[in-house]
Amino acid sequence: MNTKNEARHNASVIFKEVVWLEDFINKRLNCYFDSQLEFMAPEPIHLTVGQSKYSDFILENELLNIERFIIVVCLALHFKPKVFDKFLIKNKALDKRFTEFGGKIDESKSIFVPTLETIAFIFYGDCFESRFLMYRLFDEDHLFSSENVIELYGDNSNSFLSNSVRLSDEHFQYFTIGTSFNPSYSSNFPASKITTSLKWEDLVLDKSTLDEVSLINTWIDRQGEILERKDLEKKINKGYKCLFYGSPGTGKTLTAILIGKQNNKSVYRIDLSQIVSKYIGETEKNLAKIFDIAENKNWILFFDEAESLFSKRTGVQDSKDKYANQQTAYLLQRIENYKGLIILATNLKPNIDVAFSRRIQSVVNFSVPGVLEREKLWKFALSGISNLPDSFIKKISSSYEISGGLIKNIIQYAWLISKQHNVPISEKEILSGIRRELSKDGKSFNNQIA
């Protein structure tokens, strides 16, 4: 089914659900203002599998009517907020709104925003003990929290029921247009989805590195079996953590992307510049945003330059050390609980805290490629843009110990110079590019193949 059809089917079902909500509100208020009337809860529409993404979600998770009702309230706030206008009525005797209705006024939009107290009033009326169920619906183990379906917001300093509710972005998108959620980079989600058009054959790694990467792919392939089998539950980790370390340009990021590509999983690179904060507690909050959104999506989380976040703990000399160590403890806990794949990448392996190392299943060394690997990299990089002789490629491969990332920079430089002078790429441009890259690292260039 295409996106347009998905949206049409979802809209049809959600419209009927909002009608159910409106009927519920009318009957509850009629009974509230006329005690002679007996309240009869309206029945929701009958849902069937395949009817819409929304109906599939309700049925697959076997949601109770109150759970379904809360989701409908969130949807109504987006598409038909006027269904709550009746709660704007004032108690004439007191010249203020009815306290028992709960809710709050959004002055910027001039609308009534229901709270959990409003929802409890509509669904349960004055049945006091039934309202206790509202607390249980937002336990961390409940679907609403564990699957990041419903988010609570607002000032709950007076009571838990003072919170308002909203659908998470991912479920709002899924229930409406029927597509999977891929969040964009923002202050609430400081991470970017990374992709590549390259394939495994374009990546040159030594055998020991490829063997470690193969183990990661095997874990992903068997992840479902690990989660389903009770006998494996206490023996094999539900999540998988890797440390990629090595010099810049040796293929750490590309390998992470290709693992995702092979296994049809999104890879998100975490922007640590937006995560790490000098203010106490802010780093933990920023990390929580990432993990809360990523939880149960089975995304691959890629922490580049991870030493800035996963560095060794220090002895406690002052309050700053104390809070830094608390930050590390929080990281350990969130990483331990993540059920997907986490990849930490660093150029400085010795700086990673030993507590993280104990929780890492694969430590993968991305060394500077050897002569044979460099020859493959050079041939791949020059393919289609130059006809330099194999003898020259063999010489530069054996003479200059450089990574694949640097080779890419050299080829780009040589290509631009050749275009600037309207000549083919020659050995001169390649050697000039090598000199240029080595000088960046303060290394001297010896023209050993002149």
Side-chain angles (χ1 to χ4, degrees), residues 288-413:
K289 293 174 184 176
I290 296 285
F291 281 105
D292 289 347
I293 292 174
E295 204 69 57
N296 298 304
K297 306 294 186 310
N298 227 352
W299 294 335
I300 296 173
L301 300 184
F302 181 68
F303 290 85
D304 202 4
E305 299 180 0
E307 65 276 359
S308 64
L309 194 58
F310 301 88
S311 56
K312 292 180 179 179
R313 281 177 282 191
T314 61
V316 178
Q317 303 294 328
D318 54 29
S319 60
K320 290 183 180 179
D321 293 336
K322 176 183 176 182
Y323 285 111
N325 289 346
Q326 287 179 357
Q327 174 183 302
T328 300
Y330 175 81
L331 272 170
L332 288 169
Q333 180 257 320
R334 290 310 299 254
I335 285 178
E336 188 76 22
N337 292 339
Y338 189 67
K339 295 178 182 178
L341 174 62
I342 291 177
I343 299 175
L344 315 178
T346 180
N347 304 332
L348 306 166
K349 182 197 172 194
N351 286 356
I352 297 294
D353 190 283
V354 66
F356 287 111
S357 298
R358 287 198 298 268
R359 289 164 170 80
I360 290 171
Q361 283 76 53
S362 288
V363 177
V364 188
N365 178 24
F366 286 75
S367 57
V368 174
V371 175
L372 293 179
E373 286 82 18
R374 291 199 293 271
E375 188 175 338
K376 289 180 183 178
L377 288 166
W378 277 113
K379 285 182 177 179
F380 171 75
L382 289 165
S383 175
I385 63 171
S386 175
N387 293 315
L388 292 173
D390 287 349
S391 57
F392 174 73
I393 293 175
K394 287 181 180 294
K395 286 179 181 178
I396 57 175
S397 299
S398 60
S399 300
Y400 303 106
E401 191 176 300
I402 51 181
S403 68
L406 296 186
I407 289 174
K408 184 178 179 180
N409 289 345
I410 293 164
I411 296 301
Q412 177 172 300
Y413 169 79

Side-chain angles (χ1 to χ4, degrees), residues 18 21-22 25-26 76-77 80-87:
V18 174
L21 166 64
E22 196 166 13
I25 291 172
N26 290 334
L77 277 168
K80 199 176 180 183
K82 69 178 183 180
V83 300
F84 303 107
D85 283 356
K86 292 184 178 181
F87 291 107

Side-chain angles (χ1 to χ4, degrees), residues 99-114:
T99 307
E100 51 268 54
F101 294 169
K104 57 192 73 173
I105 307 297
D106 184 337
E107 300 290 353
S108 64
K109 300 177 182 176
S110 299
I111 62 172
F112 178 88
V113 179

